[in-house]
Amino acid sequence: MVSVPRPTVTLLAVLVVGAAATGLLATGALAPDGDGRGYEATAFDPETEADVLAHRANGVTNLTADADTNRARRLLDRAAGGETVEISEDDDLSYLGHQSEYAVYGGEYYYLNGTERNGSVRIELDPRTPDEAMDELAVPYDETRPNVQRVVDRGNATVRPPNGSARFGVDAPSVVVRDGTYYVLNPTNQLWFFGQFAALLLAPIVSRIGAVYLATGLGVAGLSALAERRRVLDLQTAVALAVVAALAHGLLAGLLGSGVDHWTADADLVPALAATVGLASPSGLSLGAMLAVGVALRAPRESRDVLLAGGLVVAAVLAGGVLSAVATGIPTPVLTALFGGIPGTVGLGFLLALLGYVHAAPGGGDGDVAGRA
């Protein structure tokens, strides 16, 4: 026989998880790196050190490194000689079909123009002199932002977004020229993008757990204190707490910027916050409704109550998917809700279901001697 945790232990676990998750968000531990991305500057001579630029600059394709087979070298040699090279989309160099930027091959500068059509890729390399390349690539030192200038001055520093908000677009020019000296700027942390992406994925989940766990846990604790007993939840009360938790999640998502999209500096605060609450609340409701599922599962169990609680979870998940689809203009969120949202909610809400189960009021009585802890 599986033993059920004591109500006090379960409630404490919910509150600890909720407080920890909310704390992670409040301290910015899961926020995208608003401090920016680290870069380093390396001086180089455009006339003789084109390969240094190609090796270090993100915005310049290093074709020399790509010529790692005899066939690739022959194709690139033909393109460098002025020929338009056509290859299949299965070729190792087919990724060049999506490139339109400067490139370096064999120590020489080219403008790479790749196109893809009808299953084939065409590659053209238009030669450029070092002066032509630098005229287009290099940004004068005085025209860059102060934190970009700091990279050049110190050799390495952090480049922040212009408006101070974290974005995937945090970037610096590939080349900066100061007093006739050219510097190539390259990021020091190549995994930075993946860290940003992971933070953006985790923040909404942690926000959801933090707000919902904390709101439901505090609600159950308050009701237990008022009633002076542990088993105080009926289905209606559990649903009411789920609604409160949903609103708490929406507010937390808006205030801490972990919702669908936090407002910008030039947006009206109230409409933007209201929009975020509206978009985030269904996911909070679906998770909070797991509390009602736990209550419905406690004996004496009624099929109607179980279906009602489970239906609320499913309906809230689907409502969130529909709202996201309307907001983004694509149907993908609905499919994600169907195939991932429901299992994910059940997994994240298991502890809440357990909380509802151990705090469910006895079917026929007002008191709860056995349920005290």
Side-chain angles (χ1 to χ4, degrees), residues 331-356:
T332 305
V334 178
L335 299 176
T336 303
L338 277 171
F339 297 106
I342 295 172
T345 298
V346 172
L348 293 176
F350 176 78
L351 189 55
L352 288 180
L354 186 59
L355 179 69

Side-chain angles (χ1 to χ4, degrees), residues 24-100:
L24 283 175
L25 289 171
T27 58
L30 285 178
D33 188 5
D35 288 335
R37 186 178 190 182
Y39 279 81
E40 64 181 5
T42 303
F44 75 104
D45 183 353
E47 296 281 348
T48 61
E49 295 181 312
D51 288 331
V52 173
L53 173 67
H55 178 68
R56 293 181 175 271
N58 274 350
V60 177
T61 300
N62 188 354
L63 292 178
T64 305
D66 291 338
D68 54 357
T69 65
N70 289 332
R71 184 177 183 281
R73 281 191 292 272
R74 286 195 300 270
L75 290 173
L76 292 174
D77 285 344
R78 287 165 52 195
E83 182 179 344
T84 298
V85 175
E86 187 167 336
I87 58 178
S88 73
E89 61 182 2
D90 297 325
D91 194 281
D92 290 341
L93 295 176
S94 62
Y95 79 95
L96 296 177
H98 304 286
Q99 305 286 345
S100 182

Side-chain angles (χ1 to χ4, degrees), residues 196-207:
Q196 298 291 94
F197 187 64
L200 288 179
L201 283 179
L202 288 175
I205 297 174
V206 175
S207 169

Side-chain angles (χ1 to χ4, degrees), residues 1-362:
M1 181 176 178
V2 178
S3 61
V4 177
R6 294 169 66 88
T8 302
V9 174
T10 308
L11 177 59
L12 182 61
V14 168
L15 289 172
V16 168
V17 171
T22 304
L24 283 175
L25 289 171
T27 58
L30 285 178
D33 188 5
D35 288 335
R37 186 178 190 182
Y39 279 81
E40 64 181 5
T42 303
F44 75 104
D45 183 353
E47 296 281 348
T48 61
E49 295 181 312
D51 288 331
V52 173
L53 173 67
H55 178 68
R56 293 181 175 271
N58 274 350
V60 177
T61 300
N62 188 354
L63 292 178
T64 305
D66 291 338
D68 54 357
T69 65
N70 289 332
R71 184 177 183 281
R73 281 191 292 272
R74 286 195 300 270
L75 290 173
L76 292 174
D77 285 344
R78 287 165 52 195
E83 182 179 344
T84 298
V85 175
E86 187 167 336
I87 58 178
S88 73
E89 61 182 2
D90 297 325
D91 194 281
D92 290 341
L93 295 176
S94 62
Y95 79 95
L96 296 177
H98 304 286
Q99 305 286 345
S100 182
E101 61 185 17
Y102 268 87
V104 171
Y105 180 60
E108 303 292 335
Y109 297 95
Y110 298 89
Y111 191 82
L112 167 64
N113 185 25
T115 56
E116 184 176 1
R117 187 174 61 181
N118 298 329
S120 64
V121 174
R122 301 181 66 183
I123 302 171
E124 296 177 341
L125 293 179
D126 188 10
R128 293 286 196 273
T129 65
D131 288 341
E132 290 173 333
M134 292 304 105
D135 284 345
E136 294 195 40
L137 287 173
V139 177
Y141 175 87
D142 294 335
E143 297 180 11
T144 61
R145 304 196 308 275
N147 48 37
V148 175
Q149 294 176 358
R150 196 174 300 115
V151 177
V152 176
D153 295 338
R154 299 179 178 178
N156 60 74
T158 299
V159 175
R160 296 174 175 81
N163 63 356
S165 63
R167 298 180 178 179
F168 285 136
V170 174
D171 205 354
S174 297
V175 181
V176 174
V177 56
R178 183 185 66 179
D179 299 330
T181 301
Y182 291 86
Y183 299 85
V184 55
L185 273 59
N186 66 295
T188 55
N189 182 7
Q190 299 296 336
L191 298 179
W192 177 87
F193 175 87
F194 299 101
Q196 298 291 94
F197 187 64
L200 288 179
L201 283 179
L202 288 175
I205 297 174
V206 175
S207 169
R208 185 183 180 198
I209 293 174
V212 174
Y213 270 55
L214 206 53
T216 53
L218 290 174
V220 171
L223 290 173
S224 297
L226 288 173
E228 296 184 346
R229 64 179 191 272
R230 305 300 182 187
R231 296 178 59 181
V232 293
L233 294 179
D234 56 25
L235 193 61
Q236 291 78 14
T237 304
V239 171
L241 287 177
V243 172
V244 172
L247 294 176
H249 171 51
L251 288 172
L252 184 65
L255 294 175
L256 297 183
S258 57
V260 176
D261 191 14
H262 59 278
W263 62 83
T264 56
D266 58 350
D268 251 352
L269 173 61
V270 174
L273 181 58
T276 303
V277 171
L279 286 169
S281 293
S283 66
L285 179 59
S286 63
L287 184 58
M290 290 297 295
L291 184 74
V293 171
V295 172
L297 289 174
R298 186 72 185 254
R301 186 184 304 115
E302 292 190 19
S303 299
R304 182 191 63 181
D305 291 344
V306 175
L307 288 175
L308 179 62
L312 180 59
V313 172
V314 174
V317 170
L318 292 179
V322 171
L323 286 175
S324 297
V326 171
T328 59
I330 56 176
T332 305
V334 178
L335 299 176
T336 303
L338 277 171
F339 297 106
I342 295 172
T345 298
V346 172
L348 293 176
F350 176 78
L351 189 55
L352 288 180
L354 186 59
L355 179 69
Y357 187 88
V358 298
H359 282 85

